[in-house]
Amino acid sequence: MTAERSILPLELRQVGFSAGRKLLIKELSCTFSANSRSVIIGPNGAGKSLLLRLCHGLLAPSAGSIVWHGAAGREPSFYQAMVFQRPVMLRRSVAANINFALSLRRVPRGARPALIRDALKRTGLSRFARHQARVLSIGEQQRLALARSWALRPQVLFLDEPTASLDPSATHVIEEVIDAIHRAGTKVIMTTHDLGQARRLADEVLFLHRGRLLEMAPSEAFFAGPRNDLAQAFLRGELLWWQRRELTPP
Amino acid sequence: MTDFGSALAAAFSLVIHLDRDLGEIVLLSLRVSVIAVFVAALIGLPIGAAVALFRFPGRTVVAVILNALMGLPPVVVGLIVYLLLSRAGPFGVLGLLFTPTAMVIAQILLVTPIIAALTRQVIEDLWVEYEEQLRSLGAKPRRALATLLWDGRFSLLTAVLAGFGRASAEVGAVMIVGGNIDHVTRVMTTAIALEVSKGDLALALGLGIILVVLSIAVNGAAFVLKGTAERGQAR
Ligand SMILES: Nc1ncnc2c1ncn2[C@@H]1O[C@H](COP(=O)(O)OP(=O)(O)O)[C@@H](O)[C@H]1O
Ligand SMILES: [Mg+2]
């Protein structure tokens, strides 16, 4: 992975996304550079999941453009992976789930067992290798989703609220794995509604509200005092979902 | 009542002693239905999966038609196949009318929509769950299709067994295109109809018992398979 050229930076230019007549993402511009952990925060329904799907290419923008500057003619999705809010497990064994992903990325058969073993070991799932993936607990399934992504050695990993339905200890394990993946050289772009998690993981924070990017700042600066007043309200815990309509963006 | 009692006793004795005529009829029934279901599965599984997976004009119409065809009356299918295969019909030269092949063809027409419609439902549900993950991993449509068919295998087997149940229990179509000819096209259902009308309740009951046992066995197998599948796929 270190040998191949990075597809980053990723630039969004005036990206819009609408469903029906509703504009769900509005004139969003930003650049994601290599190596940092970018964490997207914002209240429920802000458009965090949509933004990740747009970046990952699962949705096409209805306006603007999304450019992988380093792709140089290569297919960018080949160098990305995504972990969804609710883990999607194939009806196969734990090891077979990872093997499936590797086969789709055309990893030679002979190279796969070592990658599978490594990914399971790093996520603490080695003893489940032969279990049916879907009998694992949700926390374990989410770890498997991470292991499956990790085995692909992606340059960019998208995570959509990966710990949304997990208890604190399962959350802790997931955060450690995300951290390890990042240290191994993968660019992490994730969403969370958990401010503590954003503090723990983020190098830079993007604050999204009603489809608009209201602030993008280094983590320390953001948590020391966001410039945007809605972001300030959100940090104080005042920007609750039932208040969204009453507050008007600056 | 005594009539029924003695008929039942005679029926059991026929079954237990593996009566030759009875055996022949049972084997032909199985052969016709198994071949028909096998061919219907080869046609119905890919059609159902394709309708579930691919967006094309008229897709909804096809889905509705498949569902409607599930309830196709066997006598109507029999009539159509009869007209196609009769001497004056377009395929009359093949001389297939009143042969087991004709019965297989009729049952294929009956069973294919069932397998296709049930397959569409299974694959569509699975696709809703898998789509984003498969696309994220870069699965091309053909690979996605293969994955869905494999991961839905237990439910799909149930669909195929439902098709078998329909084929083996059906009487109208095979009666019309097979003609219920002794030692040639006589199967369990047509034999039961005939023996009852002749008043030979023993043979009819014996066949009835076998048919019911077969149906229970098939449904039991489906149930066990589904149970196994769901345990392996819990949550
Ligand atoms: N496919 C879609 N069609 C219509 N509306 C959608 C669709 N996907 C999401 N939305 C709407 O877009 C808004 C943002 O959704 P989402 O990105 O899931 O929010 P978040 O992840 O920040 O909670 C929500 O109001 C949601 O209802
Ligand atoms: Mg979301």
Side-chain angles (χ1 to χ4, degrees), chain B residues 45-105:
Chain B
L45 286 171
I47 288 181
V51 174
L53 208 52
F54 302 124
R55 313 270 158 237
F56 52 86
R59 177 174 169 271
T60 320
V61 177
V62 174
V64 170
I65 290 176
L66 280 183
N67 274 328
L69 289 182
M70 277 177 80
L72 214 56
V75 282
V76 173
V77 172
L79 182 61
I80 292 167
V81 175
Y82 181 92
L83 291 173
L84 292 173
L85 297 183
S86 67
R87 194 93 61 77
F91 302 106
V93 288
L94 299 176
L96 290 176
L97 198 59
F98 305 133
T99 65
T101 308
M103 305 197 296
V104 169
I105 292 170

Side-chain angles (χ1 to χ4, degrees), chain B residues 7-151:
Chain B
L8 200 59
F12 272 113
S13 127
L14 281 177
V15 173
I16 286 161
H17 293 108
L18 292 170
D19 179 76
R20 275 258 315 280
D21 282 356
L22 189 99
E24 192 183 22
I25 293 171
V26 171
L27 281 183
L28 181 65
S29 298
L30 285 177
R31 215 178 78 209
V32 167
S33 294
V34 165
I35 294 173
V37 169
F38 181 74
V39 176
L42 286 185
I43 304 168
L45 286 171
I47 288 181
V51 174
L53 208 52
F54 302 124
R55 313 270 158 237
F56 52 86
R59 177 174 169 271
T60 320
V61 177
V62 174
V64 170
I65 290 176
L66 280 183
N67 274 328
L69 289 182
M70 277 177 80
L72 214 56
V75 282
V76 173
V77 172
L79 182 61
I80 292 167
V81 175
Y82 181 92
L83 291 173
L84 292 173
L85 297 183
S86 67
R87 194 93 61 77
F91 302 106
V93 288
L94 299 176
L96 290 176
L97 198 59
F98 305 133
T99 65
T101 308
M103 305 197 296
V104 169
I105 292 170
Q107 289 197 346
I108 290 172
L109 289 179
L110 273 174
V111 171
T112 302
I114 294 179
I115 295 181
L118 294 176
T119 300
R120 184 191 66 81
Q121 196 59 57
V122 169
I123 298 297
E124 211 163 85
D125 291 348
L126 210 51
W127 183 231
V128 168
E129 186 190 332
Y130 280 14
E131 177 175 6
E132 285 200 317
Q133 183 66 67
L134 291 185
R135 283 177 52 214
S136 166
L137 291 171
K140 301 275 184 293
R142 196 156 5 126
R143 182 67 188 271
L145 190 68
T147 304
L148 293 169
L149 286 173
W150 176 250
D151 277 34

Side-chain angles (χ1 to χ4, degrees), chain A residues 84-99:
Chain A
F84 296 88
Q85 188 167 346
R86 281 175 37 207
V88 182
M89 290 299 134
L90 301 183
R91 287 147 172 83
R92 304 165 191 216
S93 75
V94 166
N97 262 275
I98 301 178
N99 183 64

Side-chain angles (χ1 to χ4, degrees), chain A residues 17 19 22 24 43-51 160-161:
Chain A
F17 181 81
K22 270 176 72 182
L24 300 170
N44 275 327
K48 303 183 293 294
S49 300
L50 287 175
L51 179 56
D160 191 7
E161 304 213 18

Side-chain angles (χ1 to χ4, degrees), chain A residues 53 56-58 82 84 88-92 100-101 103-105 132 134-138 141 148 152, chain B residues 126 129-130 132-140 143 146-147 150-153 231-235:
Chain A
R53 284 172 166 77
H56 187 35
L58 290 174
M82 178 155 173
F84 296 88
V88 182
M89 290 299 134
L90 301 183
R91 287 147 172 83
R92 304 165 191 216
F100 176 82
S103 79
L104 278 175
R105 292 292 165 95
Q132 277 294 314
R134 294 164 64 88
V135 302
L136 301 183
S137 76
I138 283 290
Q141 287 192 27
R148 188 169 59 189
L152 303 176
Chain B
L126 210 51
E129 186 190 332
Y130 280 14
E132 285 200 317
Q133 183 66 67
L134 291 185
R135 283 177 52 214
S136 166
L137 291 171
K140 301 275 184 293
R143 182 67 188 271
T147 304
W150 176 250
D151 277 34
R153 59 197 179 277
R231 248 175 290 121
Q233 300 164 0
R235 191 189 336 275

